[in-house]
């Protein structure tokens, strides 16, 4: 659904002054974990998936002059539905290995190697070229690594286009023998759950505020400053990575006092304004997955490896479940779950109320924040909880049946007991689904593998969480809308979208702007009761592209990625009239813009609250060149 990212920019600013250097990761080597336990044998066929590549970077200089094409946005870009869409341009012929189900090269030309925090594919495991999903062995509970979209060449107006069918076939064939590497990404937002206004990573719903009688709610907490001009608050240097490896550094959170970010086998709390270290929490191994949700008392949950990977043993499995106090910088407890005498490796983790829930192909488990085990996989089950969506409610994606007769059960469950409150059975044959929001309940799926662009979305399902009945189904063609979900193993990994006011907010795909070779897009709204567009549209502005971040009461918080000669913006869009208010305006200098555009909404974690915008990467790698300075995170703020 999203256009491939632009080419890397020129060199970011050199020198210090942007925050403290990170220390080297601990080299502790706890005892190795036994192999993961097999899950229920349901005849699950291995399936490939899509993922997120290294953070794209925007050009520092304007694109070269060439004949201008008049802007012709297709149907669905906020215009009346049913209008005929123009024919899309022909896709460029791209070398094999850069397509959607293709082989991903190592970051910046590095040798291929599985990232720390993510295991390597077992020998003999089927490669990509199968549709859709990860090349995952049944029962192991962790995915193979995703692919990297096509990188357009410098000077191509508007970035690269999607591959044609012939090229996809070629790429898939090549990729069948490839070892895939990469890192997962999710959108993040500030704040907490438990009765608070919606703030669950830019996607989960809940109206927030008070109904204004016009289909929206009252304004949120984020207020426009007298001067929205922002400056760089600090930058966190990228950690050193050895052996040409890729290390997962997923997870970032924002509390009242601290910006918290995962590093290599550690989590660090930084002062929100100065970037100085407030605390540092070492871990025995890299973080695999991190919950996007935070409790009222600033607790969150992570999955991590029990030991540091080595060249001989690149992964120890994601078996360690931990509860983290983001205020104190402490690990309150670490738990594991076994099947027989073998540890289960989990794929995803979430938090709802006082419950931490984890899912895998071996089934799901949950703990109270006190550390008490609430439930765990039952070996005799013919179905299993592949994953959970958290936030205001807890929703399970439960898989039943064999691969060729798969049926997904979307279950709203009691987070204390695991008792099923309601259930919606998706059409048989849909292999994967993603939880976009738990309240209101919205699920995304690629029905019949029809999205065709690796986004994981062809349709959204609005479900009544009390009765389990389908309210409406929303078609979201990949050529029109730019949201994306993984859904293969991380059922909550959706970004570039938001839910609130009983509406689904989606960005359109980029299309021609009014300037020479400029690209732009819009955010449009769908009614979750009727499935129809509301007619509301927020324009990015010429040269900008706009992406939803999260809800703020009845308002939508969105980020505008800048053109080559301006700084990015954070805006608040009112839920009723869709009026835009600028909350933050980043500097337009080349040096600052290069750092800003080294992160992107598609492939990085974004957090905004109270005049502070934080961007961070989700994996670190050893660069093939030392000329450019890399950053793990960057913070912007208004005065």
């Amino acid at each position: 659904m999203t256009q491939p990212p632009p080419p890397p920019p020129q060199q970011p600013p050199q020198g210090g002054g942007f925050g403290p250097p990170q220390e080297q990761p601990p080299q502790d080597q706890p005892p190795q974990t036994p192999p993961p336990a097999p899950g229920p044998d349901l005849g699950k066929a291995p399936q490939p998936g899509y993922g997120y590549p290294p953070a794209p970077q925007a050009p520092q200089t304007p694109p070269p002059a060439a004949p201008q094409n008049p802007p012709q946005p297709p149907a669905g870009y906020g215009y009346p539905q049913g209008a005929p869409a123009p024919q899309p341009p022909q896709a460029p012929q791209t070398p094999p290995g850069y397509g959607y189900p293709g082989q991903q090269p190592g970051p910046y030309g590095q040798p291929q190697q599985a990232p720390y925090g993510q295991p390597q594919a077992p020998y003999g495991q089927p490669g990509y070229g199968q549709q859709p999903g990860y090349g995952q062995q049944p029962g192991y509970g962790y995915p193979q690594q995703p692919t990297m979209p096509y990188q357009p060449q410098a000077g191509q107006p508007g970035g690269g286009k999607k591959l044609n069918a012939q090229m996809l076939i070629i790429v898939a064939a090549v990729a069948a023998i490839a070892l895939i590497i990469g890192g997962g990404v999710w959108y993040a937002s500030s704040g907490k759950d438990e009765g608070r206004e919606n703030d669950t990573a830019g996607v989960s719903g809940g109206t927030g505020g008070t109904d204004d009688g016009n289909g929206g709610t009252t304004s949120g907490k984020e207020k426009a400053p007298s001067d929205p001009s922002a400056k760089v608050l600090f930058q966190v240097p990228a950690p050193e990575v050895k052996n040409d490896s890729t290390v997962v550094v997923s997870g970032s959170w924002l509390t009242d006092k601290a910006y918290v970010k995962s590093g290599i086998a550690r989590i660090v709390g930084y002062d929100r304004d100065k970037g100085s270290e407030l605390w540092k929490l070492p871990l025995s191994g890299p973080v695999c997955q991190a919950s996007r949700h935070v409790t009222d008392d600033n607790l969150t949950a992570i999955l991590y490896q029990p030991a540091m990977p080595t060249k001989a043993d690149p992964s120890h499995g994601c078996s360690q479940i931990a509860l983290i106090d983001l205020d104190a910088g402490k690990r309150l407890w670490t738990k594991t779950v076994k099947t027989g005498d073998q540890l289960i490796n989990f794929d995803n983790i979430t938090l709802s109320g006082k419950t931490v829930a984890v899912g895998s192909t071996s089934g799901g488990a949950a703990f109270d924040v006190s550390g008490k085990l609430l439930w765990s996989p039952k070996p005799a089950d013919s179905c299993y909880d592949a994953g959970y969506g958290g936030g205001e409610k807890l929703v399970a994606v439960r898989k039943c049946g064999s691969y060729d007769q798969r049926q997904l059960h979307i279950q709203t469950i009691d987070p204390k007991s695991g008792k099923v409150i309601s259930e919606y059975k998706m059409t048989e044959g849909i292999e994967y689904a993603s939880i976009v929001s738990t309240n209101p309940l919205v699920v995304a799926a690629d029905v019949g593998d029809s999205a065709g662009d690796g986004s994981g979305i062809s349709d959204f399902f609005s479900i009544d969480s009390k009765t389990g009945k389908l309210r409406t189904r929303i078609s979201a063609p990949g050529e029109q809308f730019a949201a994306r979900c993984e859904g293969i193993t991380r059922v909550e990994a959706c970004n570039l979208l938001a839910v609130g006011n009983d509406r689904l907010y989606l960005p359109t795909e980029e299309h021609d702007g009014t300037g020479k070779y400029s690209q732009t897009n819009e955010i449009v709204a769908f009614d979750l009761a009727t499935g129809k567009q509301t007619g509301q549209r927020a324009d990015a502005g010429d040269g900008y592209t706009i992406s939803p971040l999260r809800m703020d009461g009845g308002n939508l918080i969105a980020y505008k990625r800048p053109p080559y000669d301006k700084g990015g913006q954070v805006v608040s869009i009112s839920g009723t009239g869709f009026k835009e208010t600028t909350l933050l305006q980043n500097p337009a200098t080349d040096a600052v813009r290069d750092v800003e555009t080294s992160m992107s909404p598609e492939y990085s974690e974004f957090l905004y609250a109270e005049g502070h915008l934080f961007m961070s990467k989700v994996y670190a790698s050893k660069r093939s060149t030392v000329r450019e300075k890399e950053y793990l995170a960057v913070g912007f703020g208004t005065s």
Side-chain angles (χ1 to χ4, degrees):
M1 285 191 178
T2 54
Q3 292 286 347
Q10 297 184 18
Q11 181 175 340
Q14 300 295 323
F18 291 102
Q22 282 198 333
E23 298 180 10
Q24 296 307 307
Q27 298 299 319
D28 51 333
Q29 297 283 344
Q32 220 170 290
T33 309
D41 184 8
L42 303 178
K44 300 182 288 294
Q47 296 292 303
Y50 87 95
Y52 304 96
Q57 303 183 357
Q60 183 169 320
T61 56
Q68 177 183 358
N69 294 323
Q72 295 188 15
Y77 282 51
Y79 295 90
Q81 291 183 321
Q87 293 298 316
Q90 292 295 320
Q93 297 298 313
T94 314
Y98 285 82
Y100 287 100
Q103 175 181 359
Q104 176 181 331
Y108 299 94
Q110 294 181 43
Q112 293 180 348
Q113 184 159 344
Y116 286 175
Q118 299 288 351
Q120 287 184 322
Y123 176 79
Q125 180 171 307
Y128 279 40
Q130 299 173 342
Q131 252 333 61
Y134 282 102
Q136 176 179 321
Q137 274 200 322
Y140 275 77
Y142 46 76
Q144 193 175 329
Q145 296 313 304
T147 61
M148 178 179 186
Y150 161 66
Q151 294 280 354
Q153 298 300 312
Q156 280 185 270
K161 301 297 182 180
K162 297 175 182 176
L163 298 179
N164 59 26
Q166 181 179 7
M167 184 53 60
L168 285 174
I169 295 172
I170 296 172
V171 170
V174 173
I177 59 172
L179 175 65
I180 309 301
I181 70 169
V185 178
W186 42 263
Y187 247 96
S189 76
S190 64
K192 305 152 191 175
D193 300 315
E194 291 196 273
R196 295 287 186 97
E197 295 170 4
N198 167 45
D199 44 32
T200 53
V203 289
S204 288
T207 55
T210 305
D211 192 340
D212 64 4
N214 296 310
T217 60
T218 55
S219 60
K221 295 180 179 179
E222 302 292 351
K223 305 301 181 184
S226 57
D227 181 4
S229 298
K231 63 180 180 180
V232 176
L233 298 175
F234 63 90
Q235 291 170 306
V236 179
E240 181 180 348
V241 179
K242 301 178 180 179
N243 303 322
D244 293 327
S245 300
T246 300
V247 186
V248 174
V249 289
S250 176
S252 59
W253 305 267
L254 192 57
T255 72
D256 296 338
K257 298 180 180 180
Y259 168 67
V260 184
K261 175 60 186 168
S262 294
I264 298 179
R266 66 184 58 206
I267 300 174
V268 181
Y270 300 93
D271 183 280
R272 299 201 317 177
D273 295 305
K274 302 175 183 178
S276 54
E277 286 190 9
L278 300 176
W279 52 262
K280 181 164 50 182
L281 174 63
L283 300 170
S284 58
V287 173
C288 303
Q289 301 293 336
S291 172
R292 60 184 60 180
H293 306 291
V294 179
T295 66
D296 273 340
D297 49 354
N298 287 330
L299 306 181
T300 194
I302 62 168
L303 285 170
Y304 69 99
Q305 292 193 44
M308 288 299 296
T310 63
K311 188 174 182 180
D313 193 351
S315 176
H316 298 281
C318 299
S319 59
Q320 310 296 299
I321 308 161
L323 186 71
I324 308 298
D325 185 331
L326 297 175
D327 286 334
K330 294 182 180 180
R331 180 176 50 189
L332 300 182
W333 49 254
T334 298
K335 302 291 182 180
T336 59
V337 182
K338 291 185 176 181
T339 295
D341 59 353
Q342 293 189 353
L343 291 175
I344 295 176
N345 291 307
F346 291 98
D347 301 320
N348 52 75
I349 186 166
T350 195
L351 190 151
S352 179
K354 298 292 184 180
T355 298
V356 176
V358 288
S360 73
T361 55
S362 296
F367 293 85
D368 185 85
V369 292
S370 67
K372 177 185 176 182
L373 179 65
L374 299 177
W375 66 82
S376 60
K378 298 178 177 60
D381 278 357
S382 59
C383 302
Y384 66 97
D385 289 356
Y388 302 91
E392 296 184 27
K393 296 187 178 182
L394 186 62
V395 177
V397 176
R398 189 165 178 83
K399 292 194 173 187
C400 298
S402 60
Y403 167 70
D404 56 347
Q405 292 182 321
R406 180 81 71 215
Q407 186 168 52
L408 302 184
H409 298 214
I410 309 301
Q411 298 177 334
T412 298
I413 60 180
D414 184 331
K416 295 181 180 179
S417 66
K419 179 181 178 181
V420 177
I421 297 172
S422 67
E423 180 179 77
Y424 171 73
K425 295 181 180 180
M426 301 193 75
T427 302
E428 189 175 292
I430 299 176
E431 181 68 16
Y432 305 106
S434 299
I435 305 298
V436 177
S437 166
T438 61
N439 185 32
L441 179 53
V442 180
V443 174
D446 185 0
V447 180
D449 307 329
S450 58
D453 61 351
S455 65
I457 304 171
S458 66
D459 296 84
F460 292 93
F461 298 79
S462 174
I463 301 167
D464 188 324
S465 61
K466 294 181 180 180
T467 65
K469 294 181 179 180
L470 181 68
R471 299 175 66 197
T472 190
R473 177 171 168 175
I474 299 170
S475 176
E479 67 272 13
Q480 295 182 17
F481 300 102
R484 61 193 309 156
C485 293
E486 185 200 297
I488 310 300
T489 57
R490 299 179 302 131
V491 301
E492 233 180 356
C494 293
N495 67 347
L496 305 181
L497 76 175
V499 172
N501 303 322
D502 207 34
R503 291 169 184 153
L504 170 66
Y505 299 100
L506 296 179
T508 66
E509 282 285 5
E510 293 181 29
H511 56 84
D512 290 340
T514 58
K516 281 190 175 182
Y517 307 110
S518 69
Q519 294 283 291
T520 190
N521 75 327
E522 301 81 32
I523 291 176
V524 295
F526 288 86
D527 189 305
L528 290 176
T530 66
K532 297 179 180 180
Q533 286 195 34
T534 64
Q536 297 168 312
R537 187 182 77 181
D539 295 310
D542 200 44
Y544 290 90
T545 53
I546 189 170
S547 305
L549 290 183
R550 64 176 174 90
M551 298 303 298
D552 172 39
N555 298 337
L556 174 66
I557 305 297
Y559 171 72
K560 291 186 176 183
R561 184 173 172 87
Y564 69 89
D565 58 348
K566 297 179 181 179
Q569 298 178 346
V570 175
V571 298
S572 176
I573 303 170
S574 67
T576 51
F578 251 44
K579 177 184 177 181
E580 289 187 30
T581 301
T582 301
L583 300 177
L584 179 144
Q585 170 69 61
N586 280 337
T589 62
D590 289 346
V592 174
R593 190 177 59 253
D594 285 349
V595 175
E596 177 179 3
T597 55
S598 70
M599 313 282 183
S600 77
E602 292 90 341
Y603 311 118
S604 306
E605 297 171 350
F606 276 49
L607 303 168
Y608 176 82
E610 299 175 339
H612 293 73
L613 172 64
F614 298 96
M615 308 174 179
S616 65
K617 295 186 177 179
V618 296
Y619 69 88
S621 60
K622 185 175 181 180
R623 294 294 302 269
S624 59
T625 174
V626 296
R627 292 181 303 165
E628 297 183 8
K629 193 168 184 178
E630 284 271 309
Y631 297 101
L632 176 67
V634 57
F636 300 91
T638 61
S639 57

